[in-house]
Amino acid sequence: MFYLKLAARNIRQSFKNFLPFLLATSTMFVMSYVLAAIAFSPELNQLQIQPKTVSMILMVGLAILAPFSIDISVYAYRFLLKKRSREFGLYDVLGLGKRQITIVALYELGMLFLFTMGIGLVFGISLAKFLFLIFVTILGGHVFNLSLTILSILEPLAVTGITFILLGIVVSWTIRHNSSLSLLHSENKGEREPKARVKLAFLGVLLLAIGYYMAVTVKSGETAVKMFAISVLLVIAGTYLFYMTFTIWYLQRQKKGRRYYRPEKFITTNAMLYRMKQNAIGLGNITILITMTIVTLVTTVMLQVGVSQATLKNMPYTTTLNALGQHSGEEMSSKDSLPSEKQFNRAVATAAQQSNVSITKGISYVDFGSQSVKVNDSSHPKITEITQSDAQNAQTVQIISRQTLIKMGNNVPNIGKNEVLIHNDNGHFNPDSITWFGHQLVVRGQTDALKNFPIAQFNSGNTSFIIVAANDQVVQQLIDSQNRMIRDGDPYQLPIRQFLINLNQTDSAKLVDAFTKLTDENMARYSVDRYSYLKETLSTLSGFLFIGFTLGLTFVLGAALIIYYKQIAEGEQDREAFRILQEVGLSKKEVSRTINSQIRLLFFTPIIIAVIHFAGSYVMVSKILTVFGVADSQLMLTVSAIVIVVIILLYYIIYKVTSRSYVKIVQRQV
Amino acid sequence: MLLEVNHVEKVFKTRFSNKTTIALRDVDFSVDNGEYIAIMGESGSGKTTLLNILATLERSTHGQVLLNGTNITNIKENDLAKFRREHLGFVFQDFNLLDTLNVRDNIYLPLVLNRETVQAMKMRLDMLAPQLNISELLNKQPFELSGGQKQRVAVARALMTKPDLVLGDEPTAALDSKNSDRLLNLFEKINDQGQTILMVTHSSVVASHAKRVLFIKDGMIYHQLYRAERSVSEFNKEINLAMSTILGGN
């Protein structure tokens, strides 16, 4: 009981020393809790797009967070211990045995654990609810609700529990393996200059190089998704190794350099070298957290913005009505599946009449769909094989007639029966001629940008092009020859009749409603109202946005925490150096300039490397986005730039705020 | 005259009240080239304040300090550091070595700040290292050294710039008696080679190694003793006697 009281008294009396530690452990708990609350929430399945991917991303986030949270707690605890070992030493000198001191320390840890849980749960639950509230208010998402599950508390509880058990081991070990005298003096314990481990240094650089290479050379979106985790792991390992070994190796090379004995370099190089060993992990953590924040935010913002843009591109008209013929029997040709023009127009007209919407500005045409085929790299490619969209040399090809394009208001030059134009949506296909399943076609050139044409949304994100043929009859022939080559399992390409028109929101809804309700007509009807489609898609996606911002916030919080710790730890060290340098003959101004430049350098290294990491992942991230149908490289650049600027700003604010605590410590005695 | 301290006065004001504390009342003395002086006093006597003023780490409220004819109380804030590293050497009780530098670089530090060439630094160190018995320590880190070794390294750093005046602030306070003796002998040896030394101490044993002892109490120099041809122990006795009669007489 005495020890318990002593422990409680210790915490009360030097609460100032315990506070940063509690801040660290509770923040880590809150972060884990918020992520777990989403990852294990049963509502996750209501996200219509890829719920598995989302929960996988969150699991990866949790998996990264767990060791990281243990790491930072141990770091914070050792920092606390360093300050307190004098007290422990004193107990020892005063005759409290090591065993008893350990018991007191363990009691302290037990209480700190309870504090952490209390603070963590209160803030965790409120933060999760708060974030969710903001999310609902801003985005009007109604799909995603957060319910409190046992699992979402158990996960952070387990991580925190393991952390505190580890801390117990750390403190027992420290007390046992230090004599009372060294405990008394351990605050001023120096460190040996780190050894450069050249092999490990280059292994780090090699890992980074491989990770980058994988990310940059990735071909399709699907492989990108599969390889993402591997390259991320490589880059994470490489980053830690880089900080732990390469920077030390580099700085030690600097020491051998000719310019080493210049005042600026002399002090900075040595101070950085001294710090690098202590802080390599911290710098690595910050770098990785910032990189993850950038990637997460870019991805989610791209999804949100990109999907609506892609929707506008795929649906240039507000209202789409289309129809396939009803067919019976096994054998079918593409012609059979198409309802007659008269039949289709009559149905559209009826719907217009019933809904009282004017359709004079509408366009009616045949959409022949798209197909993935094998295209060799040649100026006279011979196309004979239908293939899967993610196969090698696969290109997605859509064939349309010149008439259709002209109906939509495009300017298309006149072409003959065996002549075609090529439109590249995403790629650089520009041959002299094509053999299309037996048809010799001369390529007359490339078309300009197409307007008002609904370009099919290709999920695979591989390259695609459009063949423009003279008229619908020619297109029909080309499609027929192609369909003759279909083998079992290949997708069959069905043409559909399309009616497109721009209407206001109410008219669009009315027309779509009437068209859907038509009876008979002997055809399968489909219709899309862009207004409601967008609304629905975006509300689903806002779930992603919420998760993205929560993850981003979590990572930024983690980075801020490490930075704060670095600042106060470095402040303690620099205070002494600050004084000594002044006595030896460096002016106050020079000293603060030197120290500032050191800190700036150490501070901005992580963000520079994080931006480089992101640049490395750029290709891979954009490929992954194509899986979600977002493939706008211009948009990607803009979003990335904005996200990076915002992160740098945020980082700078964290730097300014935390460096104030640094300056306070440094100037305490000067 | 190397150093002239003319009627120096130092008054401290507490920041939030008008209460003032007089640390130095009227300190007046001078030091010749090649002297070895100990300023003796108890804690609170003002000896550290005096040393800090001589070291240009603090400014006096009134009075002048001339070093080689330069009034160091007038030097501009920005030039102080340069002045310090060109004219003064420091040996402090807690050694003040930078943890981040190894021993050699700690010793080089003032010369590096002076932008001297590596050859010049090496030449100077090659001369000093055997004398101070630190040749084997040069590649170690400060934390690997004992207190006595650290202080010898600090002495080497102080002497590197060939300062006009070496200032010592209780240089033996953190050393055991054996190392303390070694250091004091070393100071005598350096002084024999012509280096002027001024240190402050509260210990009569330490002071008895100097050639002249100034006694300070309540911010004023009360008395001084010359060692002349006396041995250290004889001088020590006399210092103790002076202490009890002049300073401790209450």
Side-chain angles (χ1 to χ4, degrees):
Chain A
M1 209 44 209
F2 167 72
Y3 300 124
L4 191 64
K5 268 186 190 155
L6 189 62
R9 201 191 58 114
N10 283 345
I11 294 179
R12 228 184 7 253
Q13 289 207 328
S14 42
F15 195 66
K16 223 179 74 196
N17 285 340
F18 285 95
L19 200 63
F21 171 75
L22 269 178
L23 182 73
T25 50
S26 324
T27 311
M28 293 325 289
F29 183 89
V30 169
M31 285 158 65
S32 301
Y33 175 76
V34 173
L35 283 194
I38 305 169
F40 299 120
S41 97
E43 290 86 358
L44 198 62
N45 286 329
Q46 291 172 17
L47 290 181
Q48 276 153 18
I49 306 174
Q50 318 253 7
K52 272 191 190 141
T53 315
V54 176
S55 80
M56 198 189 78
I57 292 170
L58 287 167
M59 296 294 178
V60 170
L62 273 174
I64 292 170
L65 201 61
F68 166 69
S69 127
I70 292 174
D71 181 55
I72 188 156
S73 306
V74 172
Y75 182 66
Y77 190 62
R78 283 182 44 183
F79 188 76
L80 173 69
L81 214 54
K82 225 178 177 180
K83 289 194 145 189
R84 304 212 43 229
S85 40
R86 195 190 198 94
E87 205 177 315
F88 288 151
L90 202 64
Y91 287 149
D92 196 13
V93 171
L94 291 178
L96 205 66
K98 280 189 178 178
R99 226 175 68 87
Q100 281 80 3
I101 299 174
T102 312
I103 292 173
V104 174
L106 291 180
Y107 271 131
E108 282 175 16
L109 274 177
M111 284 181 229
L112 292 171
F113 177 72
L114 292 180
F115 274 132
T116 304
M117 292 301 298
I119 301 170
L121 271 179
V122 170
F123 280 92
I125 293 173
S126 1
L127 185 67
K129 293 265 176 212
F130 175 70
L131 285 174
F132 177 66
L133 210 71
I134 289 183
F135 158 74
V136 171
T137 322
I138 295 177
L139 299 159
H142 50 85
V143 211
F144 203 70
N145 197 349
L146 271 186
S147 48
L148 198 73
T149 56
I150 303 285
L151 212 54
S152 62
I153 295 175
L154 277 184
E155 198 276 345
L157 180 74
V159 173
T160 315
I162 292 169
T163 309
F164 273 82
I165 290 170
L166 261 171
L167 296 182
I169 295 170
V170 167
V171 73
S172 312
W173 194 89
T174 313
I175 292 173
R176 178 185 265 273
H177 286 83
N178 280 299
S179 68
S180 39
L181 221 67
S182 68
L183 277 177
L184 271 173
H185 295 298
S186 74
E187 231 176 309
N188 324 314
K189 213 183 269 173
E191 273 191 58
R192 198 177 295 274
E193 188 174 295
K195 282 209 173 62
R197 281 163 294 181
V198 181
K199 275 182 199 157
L200 273 181
F202 285 96
L203 179 66
V205 175
L206 188 71
L207 288 181
L208 284 178
I210 297 174
Y212 276 1
Y213 180 79
M214 281 172 67
V216 171
T217 55
V218 69
K219 282 280 183 320
S220 77
E222 271 125 41
T223 28
V225 170
K226 284 176 206 148
M227 309 233 294
F228 186 67
I230 300 170
S231 63
V232 164
L233 285 180
L234 282 175
V235 170
I236 289 178
T239 306
Y240 284 124
L241 275 177
F242 173 81
Y243 280 116
M244 282 193 289
T245 57
F246 189 83
T247 44
I248 289 170
W249 173 81
Y250 176 77
L251 287 168
Q252 279 184 341
R253 261 183 61 102
Q254 295 274 303
K255 277 185 88 162
K256 295 199 183 96
R258 219 158 33 87
R259 295 177 48 79
Y260 169 56
Y261 284 109
R262 298 277 112 208
E264 311 77 31
K265 202 156 203 175
F266 187 71
I267 297 169
T268 316
T269 306
N270 280 297
M272 296 232 312
L273 197 53
Y274 191 73
R275 286 227 172 107
M276 224 23 121
K277 193 183 162 196
Q278 305 172 338
N279 295 341
I281 302 276
L283 287 174
N285 284 338
I286 298 175
T287 308
I288 287 160
L289 287 176
I290 296 170
T291 315
M292 291 199 290
T293 313
I294 298 177
V295 170
T296 312
L297 289 184
V298 167
T299 317
T300 40
V301 174
M302 274 304 283
L303 274 179
Q304 191 75 16
V305 185
V307 164
S308 29
Q309 292 219 342
T311 307
L312 292 184
K313 194 176 156 196
N314 298 327
M315 296 181 201
Y317 294 86
T318 61
T319 317
T320 309
L321 308 178
N322 52 40
L324 292 167
Q326 300 279 41
H327 47 79
S328 50
E330 291 295 296
E331 285 294 312
M332 62 178 194
S333 83
S334 58
K335 224 175 206 162
D336 297 338
S337 70
L338 198 62
S340 76
E341 194 172 352
K342 214 166 136 192
Q343 191 186 5
F344 179 66
N345 286 348
R346 195 170 59 227
V348 173
T350 316
Q353 207 178 5
Q354 286 175 1
S355 57
N356 202 14
V357 173
S358 159
I359 54 161
T360 45
K361 285 187 179 146
I363 296 159
S364 181
Y365 74 103
V366 180
D367 182 341
F368 290 93
S370 63
Q371 184 66 284
S372 288
V373 295
K374 218 167 222 182
V375 182
N376 314 320
D377 210 7
S378 146
S379 54
H380 303 281
K382 221 171 156 177
I383 295 160
T384 56
E385 202 182 326
I386 293 165
T387 181
Q388 299 296 324
S389 61
D390 58 350
Q392 226 185 351
N393 292 332
Q395 295 245 36
T396 308
V397 183
Q398 193 172 4
I399 307 179
I400 51 172
S401 74
R402 177 174 169 268
Q403 299 166 318
T404 306
L405 287 181
I406 289 172
K407 267 191 222 166
M408 290 165 177
N410 290 289
N411 253 330
V412 189
N414 212 346
I415 44 176
K417 222 180 138 206
N418 290 323
E419 292 173 341
V420 292
L421 297 166
I422 301 291
H423 173 77
N424 276 296
D425 179 37
N426 157 23
H428 310 280
F429 187 64
N430 190 16
D432 298 333
S433 70
I434 311 171
T435 309
W436 181 265
F437 297 92
H439 293 268
Q440 296 286 334
L441 302 168
V442 178
V443 176
R444 281 286 303 273
Q446 304 261 327
T447 59
D448 299 332
L450 295 182
K451 55 179 179 186
N452 299 334
F453 178 69
I455 291 170
Q457 190 176 326
F458 304 125
N459 280 343
S460 60
N462 57 1
T463 51
S464 55
F465 59 89
I466 294 169
I467 296 176
V468 183
N471 53 45
D472 279 358
Q473 286 73 34
V474 178
V475 179
Q476 188 67 61
Q477 283 167 18
L478 295 176
I479 300 279
D480 283 344
S481 328
Q482 169 203 318
N483 281 346
R484 253 175 251 129
M485 298 305 294
I486 284 179
R487 293 162 304 184
D488 281 349
D490 284 336
Y492 197 86
Q493 193 172 341
L494 292 177
I496 48 175
R497 291 241 175 243
Q498 291 253 66
F499 178 80
L500 304 176
I501 190 165
N502 274 322
L503 295 170
N504 64 32
Q505 196 166 347
T506 33
D507 281 358
S508 179
K510 276 199 300 196
L511 183 64
V512 163
D513 189 48
F515 187 69
T516 324
K517 282 186 184 145
L518 290 178
T519 45
D520 154 62
E521 302 300 346
N522 202 23
M523 54 183 176
R525 282 162 284 116
Y526 303 93
S527 51
V528 191
D529 170 23
R530 194 176 71 195
Y531 299 107
S532 55
Y533 175 83
L534 260 179
K535 205 174 148 198
E536 202 174 299
T537 315
L538 289 184
S539 88
T540 314
L541 280 173
S542 54
F544 284 90
L545 199 65
F546 172 56
I547 292 164
F549 272 93
T550 311
L551 268 176
L553 185 76
T554 310
F555 296 151
V556 168
L557 262 180
L561 200 62
I562 307 178
I563 290 165
Y564 170 67
Y565 257 97
K566 276 174 57 60
Q567 298 274 25
I568 52 177
E570 282 163 20
E572 301 278 345
Q573 288 169 8
D574 286 345
R575 183 172 58 191
E576 193 58 15
F578 198 82
R579 192 170 59 79
I580 295 171
L581 280 171
Q582 259 181 283
E583 281 166 4
V584 174
L586 211 61
S587 71
K588 242 180 195 172
K589 235 193 208 157
E590 285 172 313
V591 170
S592 52
R593 207 187 300 139
T594 318
I595 291 181
N596 276 335
S597 81
Q598 266 171 44
I599 290 185
R600 261 204 305 274
L601 206 60
L602 279 175
F603 197 80
F604 287 106
T605 312
I607 197 147
I608 291 166
I609 295 189
V611 171
I612 295 174
H613 278 356
F614 175 67
S617 74
Y618 191 83
V619 175
M620 195 172 239
V621 170
S622 42
K623 291 278 184 212
I624 289 175
L625 282 170
T626 60
V627 175
F628 295 89
V630 180
D632 187 333
S633 49
Q634 189 57 46
L635 184 70
M636 173 89 175
L637 268 179
T638 319
V639 168
S640 305
I642 291 172
V643 166
I644 287 173
V645 167
V646 167
I647 295 290
I648 288 178
L649 266 176
L650 216 65
Y651 193 71
Y652 186 73
I653 292 169
I654 295 173
Y655 164 63
K656 274 286 161 198
V657 170
T658 55
S659 63
R660 218 174 284 158
S661 59
Y662 166 85
V663 170
K664 246 198 226 154
I665 294 168
V666 168
Q667 288 181 340
R668 207 180 286 156
Q669 275 187 345
V670 180
Chain B
M1 208 49 72
L2 176 72
L3 179 73
E4 285 175 68
V5 181
N6 295 332
H7 305 289
V8 165
E9 191 187 318
K10 177 70 179 179
V11 181
F12 287 107
K13 254 187 207 145
T14 22
R15 209 189 306 176
F16 298 111
S17 71
N18 288 325
K19 231 174 127 183
T20 55
T21 314
I22 298 170
L24 298 177
R25 211 172 286 276
D26 180 15
V27 175
D28 200 278
F29 68 95
S30 55
V31 179
D32 251 339
N33 242 324
E35 273 200 276
Y36 180 5
I37 292 184
I39 295 175
M40 230 191 119
E42 291 170 333
S43 51
S45 60
K47 59 184 194 301
T48 303
T49 308
L50 176 59
L51 189 88
N52 281 345
I53 290 172
L54 298 183
T56 71
L57 294 171
E58 268 176 48
R59 288 187 189 274
S60 60
T61 318
H62 290 292
Q64 291 188 313
V65 179
L66 303 177
L67 185 72
N68 273 332
T70 315
N71 186 354
I72 65 171
T73 50
N74 280 347
I75 298 172
K76 272 188 233 137
E77 183 71 35
N78 288 339
D79 302 329
L80 271 181
K82 189 167 184 291
F83 175 83
R84 224 176 286 150
R85 68 174 183 251
E86 282 171 0
H87 299 280
L88 302 173
F90 295 91
V91 181
F92 290 103
Q93 60 169 314
D94 45 5
F95 324 123
N96 285 354
L97 301 179
L98 283 176
D99 283 340
T100 51
L101 304 179
N102 68 14
V103 169
R104 174 182 285 110
D105 286 349
N106 257 298
I107 298 174
Y108 280 177
L109 183 61
L111 293 191
V112 169
L113 298 180
N114 262 349
R115 297 178 179 272
E116 299 209 12
T117 62
V118 182
Q119 290 92 319
M121 293 192 273
K122 197 174 169 313
M123 251 172 66
R124 181 84 181 125
L125 183 58
D126 285 347
M127 245 174 63
L128 285 173
Q131 235 189 78
L132 299 172
N133 199 11
I134 53 168
S135 304
E136 276 81 53
L137 310 176
L138 294 178
N139 290 321
K140 295 197 168 177
Q141 294 295 122
F143 80 95
E144 296 175 280
L145 306 186
S146 71
Q149 290 172 329
K150 277 186 196 168
Q151 198 58 300
R152 293 207 299 281
V153 170
V155 172
R157 185 179 66 188
L159 295 177
M160 277 301 269
T161 53
K162 298 183 186 161
D164 298 331
L165 180 63
V166 169
L167 295 170
D169 180 9
E170 304 272 11
T172 60
L175 303 181
D176 57 37
S177 63
K178 195 173 135 224
N179 273 310
S180 166
D181 276 347
R182 276 180 76 177
L183 186 78
L184 290 168
N185 290 334
L186 187 67
F187 271 17
E188 282 184 79
K189 210 165 88 188
I190 295 163
N191 175 245
D192 286 342
Q193 291 165 7
Q195 177 66 56
T196 316
I197 302 173
L198 188 153
M199 62 180 178
V200 299
T201 180
H202 67 278
S203 150
S204 59
V205 181
V206 174
S208 62
H209 283 258
K211 284 183 180 159
R212 176 153 67 115
V213 179
L214 301 175
F215 295 89
I216 189 169
K217 191 191 176 189
D218 299 333
M220 280 178 73
I221 305 276
Y222 268 73
H223 184 59
Q224 64 173 342
L225 284 177
Y226 283 90
R227 177 169 154 196
E229 300 307 318
R230 273 169 287 205
S231 73
V232 170
S233 57
E234 284 168 352
F235 196 36
N236 185 15
K237 268 182 209 152
E238 193 170 338
I239 294 169
N240 277 327
L241 193 67
M243 287 281 281
S244 51
T245 53
I246 304 164
L247 299 175
N250 32 339

